[in-house]
Amino acid sequence: MDRRMRILLVEDEPMFRKGMAKMIAGLNTVWEVCGEAENGEEAEQFVEQLCPDLVITDIRMPLMDGLELLQRVKAAHPDIEVIVITGYQDFQYAQSALRCGALDILVKPCSKQDICLVLDKAEAAAAVKWQQRGKEQWEEARRLDNALRELFLRLPCRPDIAAVLQRRICGTKLILLYISDYFPAHKQYVKKDIPLLQFAVLNIVGEVTREVQGDAGCLLIVETGCFALFVKDLAADQERQLQSAIAGSLWSFLGLRAELQEAVAVNALEQLPDLYEEGLGVWRSGTAVGWIPASVLSREEVTQSLPDGGSSRMKQQMIAEQLAELIREGNLKGLKECLEQLTEAVCASSPEARKLEALSLEFALQQTARKQLEAGSDPGLMTARIERLHESGSLKDLREWLAEAIERFLETLAEWQNKYGRSSVADAIRYMEEHYASRQLTLADVAGQAHLSPAYFSHLFKKETGRSFVTFLIEMRMEKAKQLLTATSLNVTEVAGVVGYDLPNYFAKLFKQYSGLTPKEYRKQHQS
């Protein structure tokens, strides 16, 4: 998950609801309260407007109680989790909420530990659903890629899948791309490297296309050496820029020559076989001798040479998102554990798939480094890495290859942290100096100013200052209060308000804890 998780609080007692919202805000978790409702009817409307990940609701409320709200939410939005709050006298009644799909029950009065436990449980449930959705998207990508490939080759396609593909490509332009020779003289590629090379082509073309038009388009391997790229209806100069960039990148990174045909508008699926066969005929008439048509490979070789591009890239994207989330959280331990698990998963895959899985992980690391850590691209390095992977003959060699990739990624992360750590905290402290009087100044607000997640900002702030955000803010406010008590005639209530506290007694308690004196004692001692 790469975003904050959202909670809708539903409780007819305002003081209890506000107290819980404040407690959740101070927990420093992935959760934030996105809305509050006084009853089930109001909450049902908020669910549609706010799309929360979690609803925490009292069970006894006017107009619509929590049990009815639970049933309606689960019927309309099965992915939204619901936690029910109850008193001891209603505990038996609340048991029925679990049978209706509630994730858990909170019993009033709720302690901070109680809330942490149920939020951890909700986060784990959300993670499972996120993984399941990722798996479903992965499988859907594979299904659509296979169906689109079959259409190019004049094979039958189910009407429901054809309808999805029609919506997907209608109004786009098709660029057919061919690799003239997978075995150029200046490289030592062999037949078994074709899956790796084709997967690398998919990634490189996708990245170049994203840079030109903002997304990677729809990219597909049709046959060995033959690719179909669906792009937006670009202007003529943008099309030329895209084609030139693709050909140049494939040569720089892989040493492969690519031929691209002029983009053709696509309005119907029925066009695809004719466009493909016409383009293929033109290309074959002038192709280099080194081209290997699928027809000269065995059935097994054809299967191996057509990596599951859509699903592999979907998996790669999921890995990149997972790594990015850990970086935003500042969870270096979790990041290293994740990379270890990914390494073991690659090594545990079948011998035929290991190199492809390894290259997929390398591309995920590079994608994350570019997007999250401002790393640049190095064509020479990529060429050397693919050649090294090609030469690795044992599991030990593969582990060493992966270890090098991970070490380089972690070095890039360390450089990025050193570059931005101190400056981000310094900017945050300046923002706090300007807004310390705001009663709504929160960790999330300041983290947002630094363009960091609250979790990562909290980690970074404590690392740089030696104090938590809350402690630092209290100290800052107390120092401002000392100045006001010494240099002005404002009374204690007014001083409390100026430095961000509504409750003078709470301010006085904090001030004494910080300075050892009450505000009046401090004023008397320092004004005299």
Side-chain angles (χ1 to χ4, degrees), residues 5 82 106 111 159 208 231 250 350 354 357 380 433 441:
M5 305 296 288
V82 180
L106 274 172
S111 69
V208 172
V231 297
L250 291 177
S350 67
R354 279 177 193 155
E357 293 288 332
E433 287 276 1
L441 186 64

Side-chain angles (χ1 to χ4, degrees), residues 176-311:
L176 293 173
L177 181 155
Y178 309 100
I179 301 299
S180 303
D181 184 2
Y182 274 120
F183 311 118
H186 63 291
K187 297 291 181 181
Q188 296 182 345
Y189 299 139
V190 294
K191 194 179 292 185
K192 66 180 181 180
D193 293 325
I194 293 178
L196 290 178
L197 294 170
Q198 298 209 129
F199 185 67
V201 170
L202 286 173
N203 278 274
I204 292 168
V205 173
E207 283 299 312
V208 172
T209 306
R210 186 178 288 108
E211 289 176 6
V212 173
Q213 67 170 24
D215 61 60
C218 173
L219 181 59
L220 175 78
I221 303 174
V222 182
E223 296 179 272
T224 302
C226 305
F227 299 78
L229 171 62
F230 294 90
V231 297
K232 297 175 183 176
D233 188 3
L234 301 173
D237 59 333
Q238 287 180 304
E239 285 183 14
R240 287 192 294 272
Q241 176 191 352
L242 175 61
Q243 296 208 10
S244 175
I246 288 173
S249 295
L250 291 177
W251 175 254
S252 297
F253 282 100
L254 304 176
L256 298 179
R257 294 196 181 278
E259 297 183 18
L260 295 93
Q261 295 188 341
E262 186 175 346
V264 179
V266 177
N267 298 309
L269 296 178
E270 291 75 16
Q271 294 176 260
L272 298 182
D274 291 338
L275 290 173
Y276 180 63
E277 289 170 4
E278 180 182 348
L280 197 60
V282 170
W283 176 64
R284 282 177 176 169
S285 64
T287 191
V289 176
W291 175 64
I292 300 182
S295 58
V296 307
L297 299 174
S298 69
R299 180 181 296 273
E300 181 181 358
E301 288 172 329
V302 170
T303 302
Q304 292 176 354
S305 72
L306 294 175
D308 200 345
S311 60

Side-chain angles (χ1 to χ4, degrees), residues 485 508 511-512 515-523:
L485 289 167
F511 189 88
K512 186 168 184 180
S515 68
L517 300 170
T518 67
K520 289 181 179 180
E521 290 169 344
Y522 185 87
R523 167 171 275 168

